[in-house]
Amino acid sequence: MLKQDKLSLGILLGLLTPAVAFFIYYLAVFLPRDLGIGEFLVMLKNNKHLIPKVISICLLANGIVFYLYTRVRLDLTARGIFLITLLYAIVILLLKII
């Protein structure tokens, strides 16, 4: 399934990869501090200046997946990942401005 060259697969991977990276980030950084996922989300809600930083860290995973798909020449899938990454970047800029 992941070897198909489809734009829709790239969009799906572009959306899911940062979500998985967010969960891994939570497990690596905040779980050892005995902070539950609900408390972590409340902390992000109360500290809105942290949200763009966390999103940026999670987008690094999109960069890795994009690199892998360009290396195996699945360009349509890579294009979908890049499209979603650009949308995330616009959201980050808007969150920093607001």
Side-chain angles (χ1 to χ4, degrees), residues 38-94:
E39 296 166 332
F40 175 59
L41 294 174
V42 168
M43 183 194 72
L44 284 178
K45 181 181 171 190
N46 293 336
N47 299 313
K48 294 195 185 297
H49 66 279
L50 292 177
I51 294 173
K53 295 175 185 176
V54 172
I55 294 173
S56 298
I57 291 170
C58 294
L59 276 184
L60 291 175
N62 257 7
I64 294 168
V65 174
F66 175 76
Y67 172 75
L68 293 174
Y69 273 90
T70 55
R71 292 287 289 168
V72 294
R73 307 290 295 158
L74 296 174
D75 295 332
L76 282 175
T77 305
R79 188 179 299 170
I81 295 167
F82 185 70
L83 174 71
I84 295 301
T85 303
L86 285 179
L87 291 176
Y88 273 119
I90 291 169
V91 168
I92 291 170
L93 287 174
L94 289 175

Side-chain angles (χ1 to χ4, degrees), residues 2-20:
L2 294 177
K3 295 196 182 257
Q4 297 176 355
D5 193 19
K6 292 183 178 179
L7 185 66
S8 60
L9 177 63
I11 290 172
L12 182 67
L13 284 173
L15 290 171
L16 291 180
T17 304
V20 170

